[in-house]
Amino acid sequence: MLLRRMQWMSDGDGRWELDAETPVTMEGTARPVPGDPLPLGLSRGPRVTRPKQLDFFHRFMASPFVPSFSASRDGISVHHAHLLHLTDSWSFTILEKILVPKLVSVVKEKLANRHEEASWTKDLKKHLHDIMSLGVGTELLITPDTTLLLELYDIKKGDRGKAILHHKLPRQNVTFEASWPGLFVDKNGVYWDVPLSLSADLASVGSSSGLSYHLLLQQNSGEPKCFGGDETNDVPIALLPGLCAKAAISIKKSIDAWRKKEDKLKNVQPYDVFLSDSHVSFTGIVGAVASGYLGDCSRRVSTQNETQRSNAFRMFDERNKFSAFADLFASVTFTAQYGNFQRLFLDLTKASARFDIASGSLFLSGASRLAQDFFFSRRPDIETFCDVCPDVTVSLQQQIVGPFSFRVESSVAIDPRSQDHFVKVDDSIFAIDWALKVLGSAKATAWYSPKRQEAMVELRFFES
């Protein structure tokens, strides 16, 4: 599932279920609808909260307003944040979101009725509720390793809230989160609100190679509702009320087939230290995921899908509303980069391709049937070819000038059943990156999704 999060393929670290960036709410994030046999993300990239991103744009990039766009919601919006440091360990934020189309409409209406005596100030105050959305948040650093974040968005216009307690351990990150409502996005780009979503998350700190693990406990309460979309869409079974427990473990190995450290300019810092070497590399991940469901959400395992053709472990007890599921997964990433990202022009060209096998048992059973068909000289079944076709995501990055580069990422669907479109490029995302050289490895990213008709400007750290 390709999400509009611009989490570009950094050596294929297996991040399947990270929060997606989205412009449809002030918060700026949505969780993907859990989908077996998609495994749990095994490592989490560093992410700065939306209020801190906005404050950075205001202070250091001369951007008093940060734009976003969502055709299905409010059109063009601009965001502003007031960050106040009450103490060294406690901050308070006021967020403002101005709906540009409604502001333009009010101005046009005022210009059309210039003969009226009402002042501009009174007119704007009268329409302020329609033009602007407000949010507040506070962040408390309880200990050097423990942070509490409380946020309220769209006050008096939906009242969205979130509470997050994050604790860093030497080799793990622990996160407790409550959202009311919780915003989710499915594979078709439809957003869903769950009245109350609670989760507890334990994830190992990501590394270039070795063992990773991830544990998740999630409780959804209330009936999910479509958020600003087609009310006729079927509610994802995974979002129905109930308790979900997931565990994933994987082994990752990265290999440099070629890396060139010569030809660098002396005493010249690259625009991004993670993009400073020409190289060709491969990364492989093999792992297993197990999940258990209690409640209405347990029906997802009973749904007819491709996993029933595989040897994955699955159990469903309709009477007690309990189900369990376990499967293997794998991912292989190829990355090639030319250039050191030091010079003004044409010093960075990077291409990546990631091949995800979401269901290892389905892949192995399909490969076994293909081998038997080949051995006995039988004509292979077209469905068997589909079982062994991986999910493919490709990415291309090219320096434009100086710290600015262009990126495009697309999912590639391989469908042997279609004679007209054997290979189909889908859900492309285009972006302009501005590398912030002074921070070593950080960038401001402006991305646009033509299929979803969404655009956003955000801040990213430590992503190659």
Side-chain angles (χ1 to χ4, degrees):
M1 178 173 62
L2 184 64
L3 298 174
R4 298 158 309 287
R5 64 174 185 266
M6 302 307 291
Q7 289 272 31
W8 300 95
M9 297 176 294
S10 54
D11 298 328
D13 54 2
R15 292 178 285 195
W16 278 273
E17 289 189 5
L18 284 177
D19 292 349
E21 306 297 338
T22 175
V24 299
T25 64
M26 294 181 68
E27 177 193 357
T29 60
R31 303 192 72 174
V33 173
D36 286 335
L38 287 177
L40 208 63
L42 297 181
S43 62
R44 293 185 176 274
R47 183 184 183 275
V48 180
T49 61
R50 189 61 176 167
K52 287 186 176 180
Q53 290 187 39
L54 296 176
D55 182 67
F56 185 92
F57 282 116
H58 303 336
R59 290 174 180 266
F60 303 108
M61 301 189 70
S63 302
F65 296 100
V66 180
S68 67
F69 172 76
S70 174
S72 63
R73 294 293 296 172
D74 304 314
I76 300 176
S77 303
V78 292
H79 304 256
H80 185 82
H82 305 273
L83 182 60
L84 307 174
H85 292 278
L86 304 178
T87 67
D88 292 340
S89 59
W90 186 20
S91 63
F92 182 80
T93 306
I94 300 175
L95 298 175
E96 300 163 355
K97 176 182 177 181
I98 300 175
L99 310 180
V100 176
K102 292 185 178 181
L103 177 60
V104 172
S105 177
V106 171
V107 173
K108 286 184 177 180
E109 181 181 349
K110 180 62 179 177
L111 292 175
N113 301 303
R114 290 190 299 269
H115 59 279
E116 295 184 1
E117 296 181 357
S119 66
W120 282 85
T121 304
K122 289 183 178 180
D123 271 2
L124 288 177
K125 286 182 178 179
K126 184 174 66 175
H127 295 91
L128 193 61
H129 183 268
D130 298 327
I131 296 173
M132 181 181 294
S133 297
L134 294 177
V136 295
T138 183
E139 186 172 9
L140 177 63
L141 187 64
I142 301 175
T143 70
D145 297 321
T146 306
T147 304
L148 175 63
L149 178 66
L150 300 174
E151 296 176 328
L152 291 175
Y153 299 99
D154 296 323
I155 297 175
K156 294 186 178 181
K157 296 176 67 175
D159 294 332
R160 311 183 67 88
K162 176 175 286 190
I164 301 175
L165 179 65
H166 182 75
H167 180 68
K168 294 181 180 179
L169 296 173
R171 296 186 179 181
Q172 300 91 13
N173 289 328
V174 181
T175 304
F176 299 94
E177 181 175 328
S179 302
W180 59 94
L183 183 65
F184 292 81
V185 57
D186 63 22
K187 61 183 179 181
N188 298 317
V190 179
Y191 293 95
W192 299 90
D193 265 343
V194 175
L196 177 62
S197 179
L198 307 175
S199 66
D201 187 289
L202 173 66
S204 60
V205 177
S207 60
S208 58
S209 294
L211 183 70
S212 297
Y213 53 89
H214 197 142
L215 306 175
L216 173 68
L217 190 65
Q218 182 168 322
Q219 170 76 45
N220 287 338
S221 302
E223 191 67 24
K225 295 182 179 180
C226 190
F227 179 77
D230 188 355
E231 297 292 340
T232 61
N233 289 310
D234 294 331
V235 176
I237 298 177
L239 298 183
L240 294 177
L243 179 66
C244 168
K246 280 190 175 184
I249 186 170
S250 75
I251 297 177
K252 175 181 176 182
K253 180 64 176 178
S254 298
I255 299 175
D256 281 343
W258 171 74
R259 184 173 292 271
K260 185 178 182 181
K261 293 184 176 291
E262 298 81 10
D263 297 335
K264 288 186 179 181
L265 299 178
K266 294 183 179 180
N267 301 321
V268 177
Q269 181 182 346
Y271 294 108
D272 190 319
V273 294
F274 286 172
L275 298 173
S276 60
D277 291 334
S278 298
H279 68 277
V280 175
S281 63
F282 298 87
T283 299
I285 298 175
V286 178
V289 59
S291 56
Y293 305 89
L294 183 63
D296 294 340
C297 62
S298 63
R299 290 192 285 114
R300 62 178 305 183
V301 177
S302 68
T303 305
Q304 295 289 333
N305 55 40
E306 63 182 10
T307 61
Q308 294 191 343
R309 303 197 309 272
S310 69
N311 296 321
F313 171 79
R314 56 201 324 274
M315 180 184 70
F316 177 60
D317 185 345
E318 185 175 5
R319 179 180 177 182
N320 296 314
K321 293 186 176 181
F322 173 78
S323 63
F325 181 89
D327 202 354
L328 304 173
F329 64 89
S331 177
V332 177
T333 301
F334 165 79
T335 303
Q337 176 183 321
Y338 178 77
N340 306 115
F341 208 19
Q342 290 179 302
R343 297 171 176 83
L344 194 60
F345 297 103
L346 302 177
D347 197 26
L348 175 65
T349 301
K350 183 179 179 181
S352 299
R354 189 180 69 214
F355 304 87
D356 293 326
I357 299 173
S359 174
S361 58
L362 183 64
F363 176 84
L364 292 175
S365 62
S368 175
R369 290 194 297 269
L370 283 178
Q372 292 177 17
D373 292 339
F374 177 78
F375 182 79
F376 293 106
S377 301
R378 296 191 301 241
R379 182 181 180 86
D381 181 34
I382 197 69
E383 292 294 334
T384 305
F385 275 111
C386 295
D387 292 343
V388 299
C389 288
D391 299 325
V392 183
T393 308
V394 296
S395 172
L396 176 65
Q397 181 177 6
Q398 176 62 56
Q399 181 188 19
I400 302 173
V401 58
F404 295 95
S405 60
F406 171 77
R407 294 207 207 196
V408 59
E409 179 178 322
S410 299
S411 62
V412 179
I414 303 175
D415 188 0
R417 292 166 295 192
S418 176
Q419 296 181 354
D420 298 331
H421 300 90
F422 181 80
V423 177
K424 181 181 179 182
V425 177
D426 189 29
D427 209 358
S428 298
I429 299 177
F430 302 91
I432 298 294
D433 285 349
W434 180 2
L436 306 178
K437 184 176 181 179
V438 69
L439 297 179
S441 180
K443 58 177 176 281
T445 298
W447 59 262
Y448 173 65
S449 171
K451 182 177 181 179
R452 315 297 185 188
Q453 295 188 30
E454 294 179 350
M456 195 172 180
V457 178
E458 57 176 310
L459 194 65
R460 290 281 177 181
F461 288 93
F462 308 116
E463 288 187 0
S464 57

